[in-house]
Amino acid sequence: MLTILRLHLIFLSTYIIYKMNKSNSNLLVLGRRKFLSKVSLAAAIGFLGTSRIKGAISEENSRDLDQSLGTMPSIMLGQHRISRLICGSNPILGYSYLGQHTDRHMKDYYTTERIVELLQKCEQSGISAHQSSSRQDYMNMLRKHGSKIKLITLTSNRDNIDSDIDNASPIALVHHGGVTDRLFAEGKSDVVHDYVKAVKDRGIMAGVSAHNPDIIKKIADDGWEVDFFMTCFYYLTRKMDKPETLPTLPVGAYHFLRDDPKVMTSVIRQVKQPCLAFKIFGAGRLCSSQEDVMGAFKFAFENIKPTDGIIVGMFPWYFDEISANARYVMEYGLN
């Protein structure tokens, strides 16, 4: 009976793929010989997602399939080996950069249980690190479920360093990018430097995040004892004299300028420390199709160092973004 059910699923999934391609749907068109050769089972898991066909294909079989598609590339962060793909936290926090409606949808979706489910699926797909932030309610449940995922926690308050370490047991703390940009603009870079020193005094790695590429370059040139950087592809905190003169309408308070990634990746290639690039999709603006998503991954990996990684927030409400993203990194991130 189980075999017949699986055959029905294979037929149904293949037919769905055919219809999606014929209608030029933007759901999940991978278009790679390596994946299509395994379409019989991958369609059921990767396209529909295990949550959509519970009881038909086990999580164990899903893990076996993910492993058969390739090996997740990794990098060294200090003494820790982590996947080049790191699960971000903005969707978990309800930060879409696409307006209040999407923010609210993300917040409503990401219950504590769903966050744990997300990170467990990440581990099954070979993603071994998570960039966490201010939300801590899922940490205990995550560890109770046996998760070994390595945490890189984004904070900014020097007074809370001890509690941040106690709450999440991260491998590193990173000074928050928006706060970094503001403090540098105010001439208070010493506050960021003191944070880095305090984190290092606790015996864990210290990083600095920034949206302004000039800050990354200055910290590197000045020889700060940072272990790595978090580098935003878009300089979102730049001050504009007349933003209303731009030829495009803003989405919220942020402007994503097309050439910004070229500027930041140039700096990334110049600094010796590992960099964890984020917002490689322009906060969803390069996600209109899976071809666009693949193109963003390809650009990122072709323009950062082999010792660098990328942070991607995931929102698998529509389809299995986790498996899709893992496959793209397996293809483009092996350099």
Side-chain angles (χ1 to χ4, degrees):
M1 183 64 185
L2 183 58
T3 300
I4 293 174
L5 176 58
R6 285 176 176 171
L7 287 173
H8 279 298
L9 282 170
I10 292 169
F11 172 80
L12 176 61
S13 301
T14 305
Y15 176 74
I16 290 171
I17 297 167
Y18 165 76
K19 294 295 286 184
M20 288 193 309
N21 287 335
K22 190 172 182 181
S23 62
N24 293 319
S25 171
N26 287 330
L27 286 178
L28 181 57
V29 184
L30 294 178
R32 299 199 306 258
R33 289 190 299 270
K34 180 179 179 183
F35 178 60
L36 290 176
S37 66
K38 307 177 190 300
V39 70
S40 59
L41 286 179
I45 297 176
F47 284 81
L48 296 179
T50 55
S51 62
R52 307 293 175 87
I53 50 173
K54 285 185 177 178
I57 298 179
S58 69
E59 289 297 325
E60 181 179 357
N61 286 340
S62 175
R63 288 194 296 271
D64 291 343
L65 177 61
D66 287 340
Q67 292 169 1
S68 74
L69 290 171
T71 301
M72 175 65 68
S74 62
I75 58 172
M76 293 300 297
L77 207 61
Q79 299 300 311
H80 301 273
R81 181 165 293 280
I82 63 170
S83 54
R84 284 196 88 182
L85 176 59
I86 299 162
C87 180
S89 63
N90 271 347
I92 290 172
L93 300 172
Y95 298 149
S96 71
Y97 293 80
L98 294 170
Q100 293 183 2
H101 288 85
T102 309
D103 288 354
R104 179 59 184 269
H105 186 42
M106 287 180 170
K107 288 179 181 178
D108 289 347
Y109 175 84
Y110 269 123
T111 62
T112 301
E113 292 76 15
R114 280 191 173 139
I115 298 172
V116 172
E117 181 181 351
L118 167 80
L119 296 176
Q120 287 180 313
K121 177 62 177 175
C122 282
E123 289 184 275
Q124 293 164 12
S125 299
I127 302 166
S128 63
H130 167 47
Q131 176 260 304
S132 62
S133 190
S134 57
R135 186 170 176 179
Q136 301 286 331
D137 59 290
Y138 57 94
M139 293 301 172
N140 288 337
M141 181 181 292
L142 184 66
R143 297 312 184 195
K144 286 180 181 178
H145 280 74
S147 173
K148 303 297 183 183
I149 202 163
K150 294 176 181 178
L151 300 175
I152 300 165
T153 302
L154 196 65
T155 68
S156 61
N157 192 334
R158 182 181 170 187
D159 294 336
N160 294 339
I161 288 175
D162 289 332
S163 61
D164 290 330
I165 294 173
D166 291 341
N167 289 337
S169 300
I171 64 171
L173 291 181
V174 184
H175 195 272
H176 191 283
V179 181
T180 299
D181 294 352
R182 176 177 58 80
L183 289 172
F184 267 77
E186 294 173 353
K188 300 176 181 177
S189 61
D190 57 310
V191 176
V192 183
H193 200 176
D194 288 343
Y195 172 93
V196 170
K197 294 175 183 177
V199 172
K200 298 286 286 184
D201 287 344
R202 268 60 168 198
I204 67 171
M205 290 186 292
V208 173
S209 177
H211 305 82
N212 182 350
D214 290 339
I215 292 176
I216 301 297
K217 192 171 187 306
K218 179 171 177 53
I219 291 174
D221 290 344
D222 290 350
W224 287 22
E225 57 278 30
V226 292
D227 295 289
F228 63 97
F229 294 106
M230 278 179 53
T231 49
C232 186
F233 266 27
Y234 295 88
Y235 184 3
L236 298 182
T237 58
R238 65 159 51 88
K239 301 299 182 183
M240 294 186 177
D241 292 335
K242 295 181 179 181
E244 66 275 7
T245 63
L246 291 174
T248 58
L249 294 173
V251 178
Y254 299 99
H255 298 273
F256 289 75
L257 301 191
R258 189 180 300 275
D259 289 337
D260 276 0
K262 296 177 183 177
V263 179
M264 181 57 90
T265 53
S266 175
V267 171
I268 288 172
R269 293 191 299 272
Q270 293 176 49
V271 301
K272 66 180 181 179
Q273 292 93 336
C275 294
L276 306 180
F278 63 101
K279 284 190 175 59
I280 69 166
F281 304 125
R285 288 156 182 80
L286 296 178
C287 295
S288 295
S289 71
Q290 288 304 302
E291 286 81 3
D292 289 342
V293 171
M294 286 188 282
F297 273 116
K298 187 173 186 292
F299 173 86
F301 285 118
E302 287 179 348
N303 287 276
I304 62 178
K305 304 187 298 293
T307 53
D308 300 327
I310 59 173
I311 300 171
V312 174
M314 305 186 205
F315 186 43
W317 170 76
Y318 193 60
F319 73 95
D320 187 0
E321 290 182 7
I322 304 163
S323 295
N325 291 339
R327 292 187 191 105
Y328 299 152
V329 175
M330 290 174 194
E331 178 166 347
Y332 297 116
L334 290 172
N335 61 320

